Amino acid sequence: MKIAFLGLHSAFDFQYIGGVESFVRRLAMQLAQSGDTIDYILMGADDTKTECLGRIRLRYFADFQATLSALLDGYDHVVAIYLPPVERLRYCLFRLRNRSRTRFHVILFGLPDSLLKRVLTLIDSRLFFDRVLVISPRVFRTVQRCSLKPVLLLPPVPEDYFLTPQEKVRKGKTKITFVGRIDIGKGIAGVIDLFLRLKGRDDIETLIYGYYS
């Protein structure tokens, strides 16, 4: 099959570091190893260019119309990762016009905190997508309540990752760990503030495993 992953290049470029990037990269590589042809359709780039990594191609586009035109290149499946809000309506209309030739899917990595944005995300997910894929049981339950029939696609982490605090076995100190990008936009300031408040607690150990991009 010929499969395209679609989204803003700064959100999931194959060559970037991050949780979304890692998840999509693992999925793309597994599909490529199974014999599928995989393209990254990346919008918002500085230049229009193509890079080949074996069975995986990275196709960069600066213009959204050119990005949409690229999706007409005979793809069996197009999987949306992230698009700016202003472009989602155009993409919705594109799915409506072309749903007979291509199957469209979306991966939800989470839901916005804002109630309005969350409702709009769920409404968009109902319109002309064949499958809505989610990566956590919590998002799965929320989307399921909206009758979207989601598919749970768990990341490669231990099942303990999904236990609630009440379900976890207490052994000695409670360890609270932040893993991710050391960036204000990713919440590190709030993490540092919380950890400083907890540093006097003998029953709590705090850790930060981070990187800076």
Side-chain angles (χ1 to χ4, degrees):
M1 291 186 295
K2 190 174 182 181
I3 301 170
F5 290 97
L6 166 71
L8 196 65
H9 89 97
S10 60
F12 85 110
D13 194 317
F14 185 93
Q15 304 184 79
Y16 283 8
I17 296 174
V20 173
E21 293 89 341
S22 176
F23 185 93
V24 179
R25 184 166 51 244
R26 287 171 179 266
L27 180 57
M29 292 176 65
Q30 183 62 50
L31 290 169
Q33 291 173 6
S34 299
D36 296 314
T37 299
I38 307 299
D39 282 359
Y40 273 56
I41 307 296
L42 301 153
M43 67 161 291
D46 294 330
D47 301 303
T48 296
K49 61 181 181 179
T50 299
E51 298 180 14
C52 294
L53 304 172
R55 296 185 67 90
I56 298 176
R57 289 193 307 174
L58 311 181
R59 304 180 65 187
Y60 296 87
F61 300 92
D63 176 73
F64 189 57
Q65 186 56 50
T67 304
L68 292 180
S69 297
L71 296 178
L72 300 176
D73 290 349
Y75 292 106
D76 300 295
H77 301 273
V78 174
V79 183
I81 305 301
Y82 174 78
L83 291 172
V86 71
E87 309 295 3
R88 291 181 185 175
L89 179 58
R90 292 178 63 188
Y91 184 54
C92 182
L93 296 175
F94 178 86
R95 299 195 306 269
L96 173 61
R97 291 194 299 266
N98 296 281
R99 62 187 311 192
S100 62
R101 69 167 73 186
T102 303
R103 300 188 67 185
F104 295 96
H105 318 282
V106 63
I107 299 181
L108 296 181
F109 290 87
L111 293 171
D113 293 331
S114 164
L115 178 60
L116 176 60
K117 291 182 179 179
R118 179 176 296 209
V119 170
L120 291 175
T121 297
L122 293 171
I123 290 174
D124 177 60
S125 299
R126 287 186 65 93
L127 299 175
F128 317 121
F129 280 117
D130 291 281
R131 288 287 185 273
V132 176
L133 312 174
V134 298
I135 69 163
S136 80
R138 178 181 62 82
V139 177
F140 178 86
R141 289 190 293 269
T142 300
V143 176
Q144 192 177 43
R145 285 196 293 268
C146 298
S147 302
L148 289 177
K149 298 181 180 179
V151 175
L152 184 59
L153 192 63
L154 294 176
V157 297
E159 291 185 5
D160 290 352
Y161 181 87
F162 300 103
L163 295 177
T164 65
Q166 293 77 18
E167 294 171 329
K168 294 182 179 179
V169 178
R170 295 290 298 275
K171 295 180 180 179
K173 289 185 177 182
T174 297
K175 293 185 178 180
I176 304 175
T177 306
F178 172 86
V179 181
R181 185 180 302 166
I182 306 301
D183 187 290
I184 296 297
K186 296 295 185 179
I188 189 61
V191 171
I192 292 174
D193 180 63
L194 173 62
F195 283 10
L196 287 174
R197 295 183 186 186
L198 296 173
K199 70 175 184 178
R201 295 274 299 267
D202 293 332
D203 59 333
I204 293 178
E205 179 181 345
T206 59
L207 296 168
I208 294 177
Y209 292 101
Y211 62 90
Y212 180 77
S213 175

